[in-house]
Amino acid sequence: MNPLAKLLEAALFASPRPIPTSELAALDAEASPAAVAAALDELREHYDVDGHGVELVDQGGGWQILTRPEYTEAIERAQVAMRPHRPSGAALETLAIVAYRQPIGRAEVSEIRGVDVGAILKSLLERGLIEVVARGEGLGRPLLYGTTPLFLEQFALRHLDELPRVDELAVALSQPEEGSLGEPGHPVASGGA
Amino acid sequence: MTGLRVADTGDAFVVELGAFNGPLDLLLSLIRDEKIDVYDIPMARICEQFLARMHELALNAAAEYLEMAARLLRIKTLMLLPRHEGDDGWEDPRAELVRRLLEYQQVREIVDVLERMGEDRRNRFARAWFPALVAPPQAPLALSLVELLAAVDRVLRVSREPGLHDVVPRPLDVDGAIAIVRAVLALRASARWRDVVREDAEPWEVLSALLALLEMARRSELKLAQPRPFADVEILRESAGQAA
């Protein structure tokens, strides 16, 4: 492997979080963006072709070395590492709404889900999956929430655009400009309600 | 109350149903089960079904379900009002409900996507993985007698000869030990452990003496003190409690 690929491998090994390409480039001031991209390709190929138990993955807003899924069960059985708990349906619904309508306040999320989401928003905040991104204009200047990089990482997304667009979903609304969830990450004007 | 899970999250109780995430979820599943056209919901039928399922699931007290039930009944009533022929101003009272249902259906679809992607990621470990998700409270253990017996059977089979011991009850003589400590303290103001327990004491004698000392300390007949860690324990006569 070329020295830059080795350097990147070391950095990726040391980091508990995905590292964006821009930060990887900063490891070597001499390296051009093309050289970094080539080194990442080389590293990924190295893991894939030589048959390693780990692979290089680009998700959660950066690069990360992850174990291959086929070893998960054995690793967990031996209690070397434990998988995180599966989020509840209520938590997923709330996350989905925040992801598509951010920045969004508690009242709007509750309205869409038909139940109060105060406690679930709090727990998602504690887990670092959402964060307060702004304050609304309305009465009491409500807190508005958005998703975090950790959300991308835990749902294996590169960026929010990777979520399905609303027009790709099976249910298309008859009046999309009024009631649709909008596109992921792009705030839409709230349609009445 | 089957299927109900109540989690105390501090300032509010979150009631999560085993099957439904809220009144819209319940409504949507009814519509799906009954193969109803969402743009032409028969309000009388859906109202009846919704209320029936609420009773079934013991949801009568859940405000959000009650609110939805009230909303459905209101729409049902509005549908019954006479309409004028050719009234262009008439708005289908179900329109808002349909909009919310479709919106919610979209959310469910996105949840399916998130669930799949989250599951993919859950199946890979990063090098320095640490629990980012706060573990939810452990579900209460649900065991049937058969499972329990099967587990016992497994354990017994592992050890070929389960070392069964006969445990012979040997009563402790705390009162006797108290008498000994009293006698020792009557002679001197302070004593050591060795003064109240013989060198070759049996385990039951040691335990009796220990319980006697603790009991007498509780009754303020004596004080126990240890000047430094691992130093001998000092047994001191408590002058005030002497009469007790």
Side-chain angles (χ1 to χ4, degrees), chain A residues 13 55 72 83-84 93, chain B residues 104 108-109 122-124 127:
Chain A
F13 181 81
E55 61 186 320
T72 302
R83 277 186 287 185
E93 279 184 18
Chain B
Y104 184 72
R108 297 295 312 173
E109 277 190 61
R122 251 168 48 84
N123 283 330
R124 294 153 184 270
R127 191 194 64 81

Side-chain angles (χ1 to χ4, degrees), chain A residues 154-165:
Chain A
Q154 292 206 347
F155 291 93
L157 295 160
R158 273 194 201 85
H159 31 69
L160 283 170
D161 293 347
E162 280 198 347
L163 285 171
R165 292 155 45 89

Side-chain angles (χ1 to χ4, degrees), chain A residues 13 55 59 67 72 82-86 93 111-113 116 153-155 166 170-171 173 179, chain B residues 21 24 64 100 102-106 108-109 114 117 119 121-125 127 129 132-133:
Chain A
F13 181 81
E55 61 186 320
Q59 58 186 211
T67 61
T72 302
M82 298 298 276
R83 277 186 287 185
H85 287 274
R86 200 178 277 120
E93 279 184 18
E111 162 77 14
I112 296 175
R113 280 203 51 217
D116 181 68
E153 194 192 331
Q154 292 206 347
F155 291 93
V166 164
V171 178
L173 291 178
Chain B
N21 291 325
L24 285 169
E64 285 133 352
R100 285 187 65 188
L102 290 176
E103 188 174 52
Y104 184 72
Q105 169 87 48
Q106 281 192 335
R108 297 295 312 173
E109 277 190 61
L114 285 181
M117 303 192 79
E119 196 57 23
R121 181 56 185 82
R122 251 168 48 84
N123 283 330
R124 294 153 184 270
F125 294 108
R127 191 194 64 81
W129 188 86
L133 289 178

Side-chain angles (χ1 to χ4, degrees), chain B residues 32-242:
Chain B
R32 215 174 296 134
D33 292 351
E34 301 282 310
K35 299 194 172 58
I36 288 170
D37 176 8
V38 78
Y39 291 103
D40 189 19
I41 302 172
M43 290 312 299
R45 195 163 118 217
I46 210 79
C47 266
E48 199 179 299
Q49 299 258 1
F50 189 86
L51 291 170
R53 292 302 291 276
M54 266 179 69
H55 288 296
E56 231 172 82
L57 295 164
L59 290 172
N60 298 346
E64 285 133 352
Y65 289 83
L66 279 178
E67 194 230 321
M68 178 56 78
R71 198 184 288 262
L72 293 177
L73 286 170
R74 187 181 135 77
I75 298 173
K76 178 184 158 189
T77 321
L78 287 174
M79 296 290 287
L80 292 173
L81 289 179
R83 261 175 267 162
H84 296 296
E85 292 280 334
D87 185 355
D88 291 337
W90 188 77
E91 204 180 303
D92 193 333
R94 297 170 297 184
E96 169 69 10
L97 181 67
V98 171
R99 187 194 65 75
R100 285 187 65 188
L101 276 173
L102 290 176
E103 188 174 52
Y104 184 72
Q105 169 87 48
Q106 281 192 335
V107 172
R108 297 295 312 173
E109 277 190 61
I110 297 161
V111 164
D112 289 345
V113 174
L114 285 181
E115 210 156 30
R116 207 179 54 239
M117 303 192 79
E119 196 57 23
D120 276 359
R121 181 56 185 82
R122 251 168 48 84
N123 283 330
R124 294 153 184 270
F125 294 108
R127 191 194 64 81
W129 188 86
F130 49 87
L133 289 178
V134 175
Q138 288 280 319
L141 201 58
L143 272 182
S144 70
L145 184 59
V146 179
E147 287 169 313
L148 197 60
L149 290 177
V152 171
D153 191 49
R154 271 201 302 282
V155 171
L156 290 183
R157 217 171 308 166
V158 167
S159 58
R160 281 287 159 106
E161 280 179 48
L164 296 179
H165 303 279
D166 281 334
V167 179
V168 182
R170 193 169 306 193
L172 300 180
D173 184 12
V174 178
D175 287 339
I178 287 180
I180 294 172
V181 177
R182 276 212 190 108
V184 170
L185 286 186
L187 295 175
R188 38 208 275 211
S190 82
R192 299 270 162 123
W193 175 252
R194 277 281 152 247
D195 300 330
V196 295
V197 183
R198 288 186 291 126
E199 189 83 29
D200 54 350
E202 297 270 331
W204 69 269
E205 288 175 301
V206 175
L207 287 174
S208 301
L210 178 65
L211 289 177
L213 288 175
L214 293 175
E215 175 62 18
M216 292 172 79
R218 191 181 68 81
R219 293 191 208 154
S220 314
E221 283 186 51
L222 53 76
K223 254 198 218 155
L224 297 171
Q226 191 176 27
R228 316 178 291 284
F230 305 112
D232 280 349
V233 172
E234 287 172 5
I235 303 163
L236 306 165
R237 185 196 297 161
E238 184 79 277
S239 45
Q242 198 69 346

